[in-house]
Amino acid sequence: MDPSRFGRATGIDDGVAAFLDSLPDFLGARDLRAVARAIVAARARDAHVAWAIGAHVLKVGLAPLLIDLMERGAITALAMHGAGAVHDLELAAIGQTSEDVATAIRDGSFGMSRDTAELFAAGARAGARKGVGLGAGLAQVIEKRRLPHRRFSVLAAARRLGLPATVHVAIGTDIVHMHPHFPGAALGAATLEDFRLVARVVASLEHGVWLNV
């Protein structure tokens, strides 16, 4: 165990960069530095830095940080599944997301919010009809309807910045699919277009970075 790789204490006014430099050169801290270096190297070569995120990344309030990274060029492509898109849509619409699952499962109301399903359905139709994919279709709905908290939407931010943002769903896995008039054909067509889009990102990923977050 080389003491030169140990962590060290920092002062309260030293800042974040000093804190990161102070971390020990082992395990997670070492991996964090390696990721940072890889991102910097990728952007220096104008290569993609793609983030594939789970729903909790948005659910716990990290959307503003992702949007900032997108604006700074540290994220050039974004991919998520259907639950992430549900959270993104609800954040844009009402400024909050999630349900009390234990209570809602018990009384049968879990996932039955009509507003969420109608917005998601509109996004699926737009994405299929215009051939732009589900992520872009949802972003179009968020912007067209001027949802009051759209500043929290990573999908809307990606569209504004011209970045690919894709949503990958399996039929029956998301709360919006339970609604009787949800457009399955449009959903399938839109998410298939997003699969093709993310495949193009992966095909051009040489010297780039793919992060599963």
Side-chain angles (χ1 to χ4, degrees), residues 63-64 67 71 88 91-93 95 142 147-154 156-157 160:
I67 292 169
E71 291 173 341
D88 189 77
L91 285 168
I142 290 168
L147 297 186
H149 304 281
R150 58 190 179 279
R151 67 186 183 280
F152 295 131
S153 168
V154 297
R160 169 172 56 85

Side-chain angles (χ1 to χ4, degrees), residues 48-94:
H48 268 301
V49 177
W51 285 49
I53 63 171
H56 275 73
V57 176
L58 302 178
K59 183 177 176 179
V60 302
L62 295 177
L65 301 182
L66 292 181
I67 292 169
D68 180 67
L69 289 171
M70 292 158 69
E71 291 173 341
R72 292 169 181 263
I75 296 177
T76 65
L78 194 66
M80 67 183 74
H81 50 47
V86 167
H87 287 310
D88 189 77
L89 195 58
E90 290 185 338
L91 285 168
I94 61 174

Side-chain angles (χ1 to χ4, degrees), residues 154-210:
V154 297
L155 292 174
R159 185 169 188 264
R160 169 172 56 85
L161 297 166
L163 303 179
T166 55
V167 180
H168 308 276
V169 305
I171 300 297
T173 60
D174 299 313
I175 58 172
V176 293
H177 304 166
M178 299 188 292
H179 294 256
H181 301 299
F182 197 82
L187 180 69
T191 199
L192 178 60
E193 189 60 38
D194 272 0
F195 167 72
R196 291 168 175 156
L197 177 55
V198 81
R200 291 194 291 272
V201 170
V202 171
S204 61
L205 199 59
E206 187 171 3
H207 305 300
V209 176
W210 179 279

Side-chain angles (χ1 to χ4, degrees), residues 117-134:
E118 288 180 348
L119 286 169
F120 207 107
R125 291 190 184 98
R129 183 175 64 252
K130 299 180 180 180
V132 296
L134 185 53

